[in-house]
């Protein structure tokens, strides 16, 4: 049985997978048309800003471009949330927290504690592997957990 906590995790991994997708398209913005979904994206950006490099920030921007053009009774609220997300993204992130995230993800995925002392430049060199793996997480979850 899927618990509420698992559903939250699954939603998080779905959004994270979109953000880390190398082939992100503006049409992914359709996933965030509803205000609640857009607020979920804002929450992730707000609390996980340390994950993002320029590529992910660009992907979020592409997603938001699609959402900002929707005109309905929630347009003003939607624009406000989009502007808040962009402000958060433009504020930068803590570089050490950024590298710690990638190091932790690398260690989870290769299960080798000897690698726990990786230098930041080494992490930078292999970060693309982690990003690809994160982008594929939702597919793995769908295949093995449903």
């Amino acid at each position: 049985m899927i618990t509420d906590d698992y559903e939250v995790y699954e939603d998080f991994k779905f959004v994270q997978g979109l953000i880390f997708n190398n082939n992100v398209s503006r049409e992914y913005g359709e996933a965030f048309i509803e205000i609640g979904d857009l607020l979920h994206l804002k929450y992730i950006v707000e609390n996980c800003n340390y994950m993002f490099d320029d590529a992910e920030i660009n992907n979020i921007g592409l997603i938001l471009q699609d959402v900002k053009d929707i005109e309905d009774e929630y347009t003003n609220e939607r624009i406000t949330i989009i502007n808040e997300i962009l402000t958060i993204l433009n504020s930068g992130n803590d570089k050490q927290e950024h590298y710690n995230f990638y190091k932790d993800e690398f260690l989870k995925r290769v299960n080798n504690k000897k690698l726990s002392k990786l230098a930041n430049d080494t992490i930078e060199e292999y970060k693309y592997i982690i990003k690809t793996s994160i982008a594929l997480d939702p597919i793995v979850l769908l295949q093995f957990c449903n």
Side-chain angles (χ1 to χ4, degrees):
M1 183 169 116
I2 296 177
T3 67
D4 286 342
D5 289 340
Y6 182 77
E7 288 175 5
V8 169
Y9 174 75
E10 195 173 44
D11 288 347
F12 171 76
K13 294 308 282 183
F14 171 76
V15 173
Q16 193 183 37
L18 286 178
I19 293 169
F20 280 86
N21 186 334
N22 286 333
N23 300 310
V24 77
S25 162
R26 283 187 63 185
E27 62 203 33
Y28 288 135
E30 293 176 9
F32 303 99
I33 291 173
E34 299 295 324
I35 294 298
D37 295 329
L38 192 57
L39 285 170
H40 183 67
L41 176 62
K42 178 187 171 201
Y43 177 84
I44 290 172
V45 169
E46 203 168 39
N47 292 287
C48 303
N49 193 23
Y50 55 84
M51 291 189 283
F52 309 134
D53 280 328
D54 290 343
E56 292 76 38
I57 292 170
N58 184 57
N59 288 347
I60 294 168
L62 288 172
I63 290 167
L64 294 177
Q65 281 179 15
D66 210 28
V67 177
K68 76 175 177 70
D69 296 332
I70 297 165
E71 292 190 25
D72 60 13
E73 66 268 22
Y74 302 107
T75 299
N76 290 337
E77 186 177 358
R78 193 176 289 112
I79 295 299
T80 299
I81 296 166
I82 289 169
N83 287 337
E84 290 170 350
I85 291 171
L86 293 172
T87 298
I88 295 164
L89 290 173
N90 289 329
S91 68
N93 61 23
D94 180 306
K95 286 298 177 193
Q96 192 53 51
E97 189 176 18
H98 178 78
Y99 285 114
N100 288 343
F101 166 75
Y102 281 97
K103 184 185 292 187
D104 291 345
E105 288 296 311
F106 193 68
L107 292 172
K108 283 182 210 174
R109 294 161 197 271
V110 298
N111 197 22
N112 185 340
K113 292 186 186 209
K114 292 178 189 175
L115 299 174
S116 65
K117 302 214 186 279
L118 288 175
N120 289 351
D121 58 337
T122 305
I123 293 169
E124 190 68 43
E125 186 177 335
Y126 292 106
K127 210 177 344 179
Y128 73 95
I129 296 170
I130 299 304
K131 289 181 177 193
T132 302
S133 183
I134 290 170
L136 295 173
D137 282 348
I139 296 168
V140 172
L141 288 173
L142 283 173
Q143 291 297 316
F144 296 106
C145 297
N146 286 330

